Amino acid sequence: MRNFQNTMGYFLQTMAIHRVEMDYRVLFFFVLVLHSVYGDVSYSIPEEMKRGSVIGNIAKDIGLNFRLSDRKARIDTEDDNDQYCNIDLNTGDLLVAERIDRETLCAKKPSCVVQQELVLENPLELHRITIRVNDINDNAPHFKEDLQKMEISESADKGARFPLDEAHDADIADNAVQGYTLEKNDHFILNVKTKGNGRKYGELVLNKELDREDKHEITLSLTAVDGGSPQRSGTVVIHII
């Protein structure tokens, strides 16, 4: 019985030692993983930059004072996303690898962000790269159709309103549609209204009664303009019968 108790005591003591060693190994691994991810770096660029354009010098921005080729530096992506950047191992410059079209990537989202990673080996380091892609005025307002036909009775009262088709623009904020202008004429003025989502559209307001004996048909031009620089515009012809 005494021998059995001694044997069990030795067994439990050995298991406790192994458990402590295992806990230290887990703790060491956890600390190693925490220290493998280093400081982040952020850049802000306009969309449509040419391939090979310099985004910034990531080596200086992070503070790397060694030859990047010695650490096998490379750019990787998070979650298997597209790779939009490369790194020049000689200069440390972060370069545009693929043209970034903000509208394709983020549509109408107010913020457009690309996540990339700088990977260094021996020892392993990961530096997260956040690239904010800013909209440029590369799209003009456009209407669904080049011609809008409207039937307005000769008996329509002065002040009557007739909604017009809305213009669309793939750009956002100030680069989106900001207003409309109507060709000067004797019968109609333009009233511009804003929807709840911020989009603008126009209304024809009858300012002088129609006289079909004087004019059987009326043709006007409606122009939509954005707020970008340079300003862009799109036009639709309104045919009133």
Side-chain angles (χ1 to χ4, degrees):
M1 185 66 179
R2 184 184 298 271
N3 290 338
F4 175 76
Q5 291 176 341
N6 290 338
T7 301
M8 286 299 297
Y10 176 76
F11 174 75
L12 293 174
Q13 184 178 9
T14 303
M15 288 298 295
I17 293 173
H18 284 194
R19 182 176 180 181
V20 170
E21 290 178 350
M22 182 63 70
D23 288 344
Y24 274 114
R25 289 172 186 170
V26 172
L27 178 62
F28 175 76
F29 175 75
F30 180 67
V31 172
L32 180 63
V33 171
L34 282 179
H35 283 80
S36 66
V37 180
Y38 288 71
D40 297 350
V41 62
S42 298
Y43 297 98
S44 181
I45 65 171
E47 63 172 327
E48 306 287 355
M49 287 181 71
K50 293 181 179 179
R51 191 174 181 179
S53 299
V54 176
I55 297 173
N57 191 288
I58 192 169
K60 291 181 180 178
D61 295 336
I62 294 178
L64 306 179
N65 54 5
F66 49 78
R67 290 197 309 174
L68 296 177
S69 57
D70 292 343
R71 297 284 298 277
K72 298 181 179 180
R74 68 181 187 276
I75 301 298
D76 205 346
T77 63
E78 296 184 355
D79 301 325
D80 296 324
N81 291 323
D82 292 334
Q83 182 175 328
Y84 292 103
C85 306
N86 284 325
I87 188 168
D88 187 323
L89 297 180
N90 294 319
T91 64
D93 287 334
L94 188 66
L95 308 174
V96 174
E98 294 294 338
R99 183 182 67 89
I100 303 177
D101 181 7
R102 189 194 188 284
E103 288 73 40
T104 300
L105 188 64
C106 298
K108 288 284 189 178
K109 293 180 181 178
S111 178
C112 186
V113 175
V114 172
Q115 298 287 354
Q116 310 274 270
E117 289 181 337
L118 171 64
V119 181
L120 302 172
E121 296 184 4
N122 301 321
L124 178 66
E125 288 184 28
L126 299 178
H127 295 271
R128 292 192 181 93
I129 306 169
T130 299
I131 301 174
R132 301 187 183 280
V133 184
N134 300 317
D135 184 44
I136 64 172
N137 194 28
D138 56 338
N139 294 282
H142 68 279
F143 295 88
K144 289 183 179 180
E145 303 290 341
D146 295 330
L147 176 66
Q148 181 179 355
K149 290 185 177 182
M150 303 181 70
E151 293 186 10
I152 299 178
S153 172
E154 185 178 8
S155 61
D157 295 329
K158 182 178 178 179
R161 296 169 180 264
F162 307 92
L164 299 168
D165 289 343
E166 175 188 352
H168 298 272
D169 194 322
D171 294 321
I172 65 169
D174 291 342
N175 292 331
V177 175
Q178 297 298 312
Y180 297 86
T181 58
L182 181 68
E183 177 185 349
K184 193 171 182 180
N185 66 95
D186 295 332
H187 293 279
F188 295 93
I189 59 175
L190 181 67
N191 181 45
V192 178
K193 303 194 72 174
T194 303
K195 295 182 178 180
N197 57 12
R199 297 209 304 258
K200 299 179 184 297
Y201 69 98
E203 290 181 334
L204 281 184
V205 181
L206 187 60
N207 194 45
K208 179 182 178 183
E209 288 83 356
L210 298 176
D211 183 354
R212 294 303 186 189
E213 294 180 0
D214 180 37
K215 280 188 179 181
H216 183 65
E217 298 180 353
I218 299 175
T219 300
L220 302 172
S221 292
L222 176 70
T223 301
V225 294
D226 63 24
S229 180
Q231 190 176 63
R232 295 177 180 268
S233 63
T235 301
V236 63
V237 175
I238 302 171
H239 186 199
I240 301 170
I241 56 177

